[in-house]
Amino acid sequence: MVVGRHRETKAVIDLGAIYHNVAEEKARLKEGQDLFAVVKANAYGHGLIQVARAAKQAGANGFCVAVIDEGLALRQAGFTEPILILGVNSPIEAVIMAQNDLSVAVGDESFLREAAPVLKQAGLRLKVHLALDTGMGRIGFRFADEVKSVVALLGQLTKQFVFEGIFTHFASADSKETSYFNKQVALLNEMLQVVSPKPRYVHFANTATAMWHSELTGNAIRYGIGMYGLNPSGSQLTEPGTLRPAMELVSQLVAVKHVSAGAAIGYGETYVAKHDEWIGTIPIGYADGWSRKLQGFSVLVAGNYCEVVGRVCMDQIMVRLPQNFKLGTKVTLIGTNNGHTITAQDVANYAHTIHYEIVSALTERIERVYVWKN
Ligand SMILES: Cc1ncc(COP(=O)(O)O)c(C=O)c1O
C-alpha cells in the first residue's frame, strides 16, 4: 500500500513511551528473566523496526512475531536477538527459518517429521518452541502423553532441531475471574512434569499474565500490549505501573462548510442536519482502518468533542462542529487535544471491540511519524 505522506492524517508514535513501558516491565522482572517484545502485525500498528529498536534500547532480549516475513524484516534490519515465530508454519519453510536463525512454535509432530528430511538435506538445524494448548484451543499439544512423545522425537532428531523452548498461552489472564486461568495452570503443570530437562526458554506470560500472575512467568515473558501503553484488561484490572500510550492519531480539518437545517450528510442520507450547522471534513476513512462502526463517535477539534455525522467513507469522515473553524485546525482521533483526551480504549468501547484491534487495524496508508518524548 502507498503511504499517504502528503496527507494531514498521521499516527504519531512516541518511542520514548515504548522505551518507558519496556524499561518499567523489565524492572519488575525477576533476576534472569528475559523480555521478548511482541512486535507482530507491524508492532500492533506502531511500526515494526522503530518499535523493535526502542524496545531493544530499553532492554528487550528478543522478539516475537506472527509470520516468517516479520522475522525476516527484523533480521534484514540487523537484529541479532532471538526471534520467535508464534504462528504455525508449513514444514516447507523450515529451511528459510533455519537459515535466518528464526525460532518457531511447533504444535504437532507432523511438522517435525516433515521438516526433518528437508533440514537434513540442507544441513541446517531449526530452533523450536513446543506450544502447549492448556485451554486456549488454538495451537499446541493438549495432553501430557503427546508432550512426552514429541520430546522423545526431538531427542532422536537433534541434528535437525534445537529444542529451545516450551510455552503456553493463557486465554483469560486479563480477567478478574480466575477459575479458567487456574484450570490452565493445572494442565500446564501436568504437561511440564514430563519434560526433563527443560529447554532454555520456558515462557507462559503475555502482558496480562506478567502483570497479574507474575508467579507464573517462567524465565521469559512475551510482552505485547503493555509495551504500547495499553492495559490488556481494558479497565477491568489496574495495571501495576504507569503505562504511557505510545500512539496518537491526528489529522486536520480539510473542508468546513455551513449547511442549512434539512441538509443530508454522507452516503445513504443517514444524517440530516436539524439546525443550521457547521460541518468539517477530515481525511481518514475505513480504508485507513477507521471503522464504519465509528459513525456517531467523536473526534477532538480544538479541544471540542465533535460527533462523526453520516457514514464513515473510505477516505474521509464528516463531523459536526460547534462553530466555524479555520482549515488546518488540528483534529485528534486518539490522544489529547486542548486538555481533552480520547483513548484507544474509548474508540474500542464505541466500536464494541478491543483496543488491540483499533491500533493494529490502522493501515499502512496512514503515515507513522516518530517522536521521542521524555
Ligand atoms: C502467543 C502469544 N503470546 C504473547 C502475545 C502478546 O499478548 P499481549 O499483547 O496481550 O501482551 C500474543 C498476542 O496475541 C500471543 O499470541
Side-chain angles (χ1 to χ4, degrees):
M1 201 181 242
V2 173
V3 178
R5 295 193 200 288
H6 299 277
R7 192 179 185 219
E8 295 76 3
T9 304
K10 314 279 179 199
V12 181
I13 310 300
D14 177 7
L15 296 174
I18 301 281
Y19 181 97
H20 163 86
N21 297 326
V22 171
E24 196 176 69
E25 181 57 32
K26 277 283 292 190
R28 266 199 299 272
L29 292 182
K30 296 176 203 101
E31 179 80 25
Q33 275 186 318
D34 282 352
L35 182 148
F36 277 55
V38 183
V39 291
K40 61 196 172 114
N42 196 27
Y44 294 29
H46 292 65
L48 171 66
I49 303 301
Q50 291 83 351
V51 166
R53 284 196 189 119
K56 178 177 166 173
Q57 235 177 303
N61 309 91
F63 301 100
C64 293
V65 294
V67 303
I68 295 172
D69 304 89
E70 295 169 337
L72 294 178
L74 286 173
R75 287 283 179 252
Q76 277 151 19
F79 290 95
T80 53
E81 290 72 21
I83 297 173
L84 170 62
I85 303 167
L86 297 169
V88 171
N89 290 282
S90 160
I92 300 165
E93 310 293 348
V95 169
I96 193 156
M97 290 190 279
Q99 277 170 338
N100 289 279
D101 193 24
L102 302 175
S103 309
V104 65
V106 170
D108 72 281
E109 272 195 27
S110 67
F111 174 91
L112 298 175
R113 293 190 189 284
E114 290 172 39
V118 184
L119 289 163
K120 190 171 180 184
Q121 199 180 14
L124 291 165
R125 279 174 101 205
L126 176 64
K127 294 174 177 167
V128 300
H129 289 224
L130 294 183
L132 306 181
D133 181 2
T134 55
M136 178 70 186
R138 193 166 60 177
I139 61 168
F141 301 93
R142 293 175 68 86
F143 305 101
D145 280 356
E146 285 180 330
V147 178
K148 213 173 180 173
S149 153
V150 73
V151 170
L153 181 63
L154 282 171
Q156 292 158 22
L157 295 172
T158 53
K159 289 210 172 93
Q160 284 78 49
F161 299 106
V162 181
F163 180 20
E164 186 186 54
I166 191 159
F167 74 103
T168 197
H169 192 53
F170 289 105
S172 55
D174 57 350
S175 170
K176 266 187 194 159
E177 170 42 51
T178 54
S179 56
Y180 195 73
F181 182 88
N182 293 336
K183 234 171 154 173
Q184 282 196 252
V185 174
L187 195 50
L188 174 65
N189 287 332
E190 221 175 276
M191 289 197 204
L192 285 177
Q193 262 179 19
V194 302
V195 184
S196 179
K198 299 283 190 289
R200 162 71 183 86
Y201 294 110
V202 181
H203 51 109
F204 317 126
N206 57 357
T207 299
T209 310
M211 283 183 171
W212 299 301
H213 303 276
S214 59
E215 71 289 354
L216 249 163
T217 46
N219 60 20
I221 67 165
R222 306 183 302 270
Y223 202 58
I225 200 75
M227 174 167 57
Y228 307 101
L230 301 173
N231 179 327
S233 78
S235 44
Q236 225 192 112
L237 299 168
T238 309
E239 66 258 26
T242 49
L243 293 178
R244 270 174 52 189
M247 180 190 285
E248 284 207 321
L249 182 61
V250 298
S251 191
Q252 294 178 12
L253 292 177
V254 293
V256 175
K257 67 188 86 43
H258 189 254
V259 302
S260 306
I265 305 292
Y267 289 116
E269 276 178 281
T270 60
Y271 179 78
V272 176
K274 290 194 190 74
H275 315 278
D276 288 6
E277 291 173 0
W278 288 98
I279 301 291
T281 301
I282 302 160
I284 188 167
Y286 61 79
D288 299 295
W290 202 249
S291 166
R292 291 176 85 246
K293 291 185 190 138
L294 293 168
Q295 176 173 356
F297 187 58
S298 295
V299 303
L300 288 164
V301 182
N304 300 278
Y305 289 93
C306 299
E307 184 187 334
V308 176
V309 292
R311 289 194 180 134
V312 170
C313 309
M314 187 183 288
D315 320 299
Q316 304 176 83
I317 55 173
M318 287 73 84
V319 298
R320 189 178 57 242
L321 303 170
Q323 63 186 71
N324 187 6
F325 282 114
K326 275 195 194 143
L327 293 184
T329 301
K330 184 175 174 183
V331 175
T332 300
L333 297 106
I334 298 174
T336 299
N337 182 322
N338 285 13
H340 292 287
T341 301
I342 294 174
T343 64
Q345 182 63 42
D346 295 333
V347 183
N349 288 345
Y350 190 85
H352 300 291
T353 182
I354 51 175
H355 48 45
Y356 290 74
E357 185 178 357
I358 299 300
V359 291
S360 63
L362 296 180
T363 63
E364 210 184 314
R365 192 168 75 172
I366 296 182
E367 187 184 13
R368 271 64 172 176
V369 175
Y370 295 94
V371 296
W372 191 296
K373 296 185 198 158
N374 286 312

